[in-house]
Amino acid sequence: MATVQVLPITVPPLPDRYVAPVASSSSRLTSPHPSGHRTLLPVGPAHLNYLRLALHHAHDFSSFDQHLNAERAAKEKLLAAEGDAEDDLGVGDEKESPELLALDPKEWKKQDHYAVLGLSKFRYTATADQIKIAHRKKVLKHHPDKKASTTTTEVPSTILGLNTNQNTNDDAFFKCIQKAHEVLTNAEKRRQFDSVDPEFLEMEEDLTGITAAEFKNKDFFKTFAPIFTLYERFSRIQPVPGLGGIDASKEEVEGFYDFWYNFDSWRSFEWWDKEVNEGSDSRDDKRYTEKKNKSERARRKKEDIAKLRGLVDLTLSLDPRIKMIKQKEKEAREAKKAAGAGPGKPGKKTKAQEEEEKKLKEEEDRKKEEEEKVARAEAKKQKAAAANAAKKARRQQRAAEEAA
């Protein structure tokens, strides 16, 4: 048993000048706030609960607790009726076609990973949380263990003599689900897959080979705006300027075409790279395959840029705002010239007057040239006659000298 020890400690006496403090009614337990007294505002959930307690329940805590419990039960009932839609993030349950369920996991590069996870309506806009929820739903539905316990077929005893489980535990689609989740949760692989998204390729195929004649009787803005919306996902620069409307300013129109003519795309084509032959350890094979893949990626990238440039050229050639802008600039130049003439200065000449003056000037130049030509011919004749006279005089002088 523990014993109590008494220590010989002596408390020193208080000094004679010590005076016991007297607590005033305004004393604080803590030091005052630097800016003065703190101001408490009647806000927040605690104040609202106090008002409910005072105004609706007459300070009866039992009645107030019953009211809170009723609100909580109503909220839980509402969430249960909605099926916990808030946790679903809009993923839902997408219908699975027989072709989708028959996918071969070995051909995982050819499958639509968004369709496998039931994210066809989201595709490249699907968030990480939506991918996680969709994957969990598919796993709960297609896990091989779940199939083994639920897909049991009873065969009549007259055939085999006993009841057997005909489930083959085929987990092919489950492997496709796991591969789709692996691709879409990896940023690099997802970027490569989004570059060659099957749905995007189908829409892009419809744009190949289109001509201006096909859009002659169609609404320009309703036709071309979705095309650029389709491609804006690949832009490194965000946000992407839209096509705009008929009332767009000159700066907006020029900015739109300048952006798309200098479009900086992150789209790549590594997804279609060929794999090195299985079982080959040759460095030459690997280097050859890598070189081939690199050249193919560069070729596809060049074709993609050329295709987009062709769409921009087609859009520019059909844009009605370009003609309006040119017409306004022409009118502005003519107005500026007319204003620059001013009072006392010759007015702006019409096109007919300018052509008439041009013809008169050409006629004068032609006459002047003919006169100069005649003058040159006359001078040439005079020069030839003087030369002949000089020769004749020299001959006569030689004859006279010979005679003498």
Side-chain angles (χ1 to χ4, degrees):
M1 183 176 178
T3 58
V4 179
Q5 294 183 355
V6 180
L7 300 176
I9 298 176
T10 303
V11 180
L14 294 174
D16 296 338
R17 60 179 180 277
Y18 174 78
V19 178
V22 179
S24 62
S25 59
S26 61
S27 64
R28 298 183 179 88
L29 296 178
T30 59
S31 59
H33 194 266
S35 61
H37 294 285
R38 292 185 177 92
T39 303
L40 301 179
L41 300 177
V43 294
H47 179 67
L48 294 178
N49 287 335
Y50 169 75
L51 293 178
R52 294 190 186 100
L53 177 66
L55 299 177
H56 299 287
H57 302 280
H59 296 282
D60 186 354
F61 287 95
S62 299
S63 174
F64 184 60
D65 291 340
Q66 292 177 1
H67 173 73
L68 293 178
N69 292 332
E71 282 188 348
R72 190 180 302 107
K75 186 176 181 181
E76 292 176 355
K77 184 178 180 180
L78 181 62
L79 291 176
E82 293 178 354
D84 294 335
E86 292 181 356
D87 299 333
D88 189 74
L89 298 180
V91 174
D93 294 322
E94 190 172 295
K95 187 178 179 180
E96 298 167 343
S97 63
E99 294 80 6
L100 186 67
L101 296 174
L103 289 174
D104 185 359
K106 294 181 181 179
E107 302 292 336
W108 60 272
K109 273 207 168 184
K110 298 180 180 180
Q111 73 182 26
D112 186 348
H113 297 298
Y114 290 112
V116 170
L117 290 184
L119 296 170
S120 298
K121 61 183 177 181
F122 295 102
R123 306 202 75 81
Y124 72 97
T125 62
T127 63
D129 292 336
Q130 289 172 333
I131 293 173
K132 182 179 179 181
I133 292 172
H135 175 252
R136 184 170 66 248
K137 285 188 174 185
K138 292 293 183 180
V139 168
L140 292 175
K141 184 177 180 180
H142 294 282
H143 198 280
D145 294 343
K146 187 175 180 63
K147 286 185 177 182
S149 61
T150 58
T151 58
T152 302
T153 304
E154 292 186 357
V155 180
S157 59
T158 56
I159 299 176
L160 299 177
L162 69 165
N163 294 339
T164 58
N165 185 353
Q166 296 299 309
N167 177 48
T168 60
N169 196 22
D170 184 10
D171 59 349
F173 188 65
F174 180 74
K175 291 180 180 178
C176 294
I177 293 172
Q178 295 299 92
K179 198 64 183 180
H181 180 257
E182 176 188 343
V183 170
L184 298 183
T185 52
N186 184 292
E188 181 65 18
K189 291 182 179 180
R190 185 179 181 183
R191 181 186 65 82
Q192 295 175 4
F193 176 73
D194 286 341
S195 298
V196 294
D197 189 335
E199 185 179 85
F200 173 82
L201 293 178
E202 290 181 6
M203 292 185 288
E204 189 180 36
E205 187 68 24
D206 297 336
L207 300 176
T208 304
I210 58 176
T211 59
E214 299 180 23
F215 299 98
K216 186 175 182 181
N217 298 324
K218 295 182 180 180
D219 184 272
F220 173 80
F221 298 99
K222 291 183 179 179
T223 303
F224 284 94
I227 294 177
F228 292 98
T229 303
L230 181 66
Y231 279 93
E232 69 180 15
R233 70 180 72 178
F234 300 123
S235 177
R236 297 182 188 273
I237 303 174
Q238 296 290 342
V240 178
L243 182 61
I246 192 65
D247 56 346
S249 64
K250 177 184 176 182
E251 290 75 15
E252 293 174 345
V253 176
E254 291 179 348
F256 171 80
Y257 286 106
D258 181 68
F259 178 87
W260 285 99
Y261 272 120
N262 299 281
F263 188 70
D264 186 10
S265 174
W266 54 260
R267 190 181 185 188
S268 61
F269 299 92
E270 292 94 342
W271 191 260
W272 287 335
D273 284 355
K274 292 183 179 180
E275 302 292 338
V276 181
N277 297 330
E278 292 187 17
S280 176
D281 295 332
S282 174
R283 292 184 179 180
D284 294 336
D285 289 348
K286 292 181 180 179
R287 289 174 181 173
Y288 175 78
T289 304
E290 291 175 358
K291 183 179 179 181
K292 196 74 174 175
N293 289 334
K294 186 176 180 180
S295 63
E296 282 296 310
R297 289 197 299 266
R299 181 185 63 80
R300 292 189 177 106
K301 184 73 172 180
K302 187 176 180 180
E303 290 178 354
D304 179 60
I305 295 173
K307 185 183 298 182
L308 183 59
R309 180 66 62 86
L311 287 173
V312 179
D313 290 338
L314 178 63
T315 308
L316 180 64
S317 64
L318 298 175
D319 197 335
R321 299 171 297 183
I322 301 300
K323 296 180 181 179
M324 295 171 58
I325 291 172
K326 290 183 178 179
Q327 182 63 26
K328 289 181 179 178
E329 290 179 348
K330 182 180 178 181
E331 293 175 356
R333 287 195 302 268
E334 293 178 352
K336 185 177 181 181
K337 288 181 180 179
K345 296 182 180 179
K348 186 178 180 296
K349 298 178 181 179
T350 62
K351 190 174 182 180
Q353 291 175 341
E354 291 179 352
E355 291 180 354
E356 184 66 24
E357 290 183 357
K358 185 178 180 181
K359 289 181 180 179
L360 292 174
K361 186 176 180 181
E362 290 177 354
E363 184 68 20
E364 291 178 358
D365 293 341
R366 186 179 60 79
K367 290 181 179 180
K368 186 177 180 180
E369 186 177 355
E370 289 179 355
E371 291 176 356
E372 291 178 352
K373 187 176 181 181
V374 171
R376 286 195 298 270
E378 186 66 24
K380 189 176 181 180
K381 289 180 180 180
Q382 293 178 0
K383 185 176 181 180
N388 292 333
K391 286 181 181 181
K392 187 177 181 180
R394 285 196 295 272
R395 286 197 300 269
Q396 290 176 358
Q397 185 177 0
R398 284 198 298 269
E401 290 177 354
E402 290 175 355

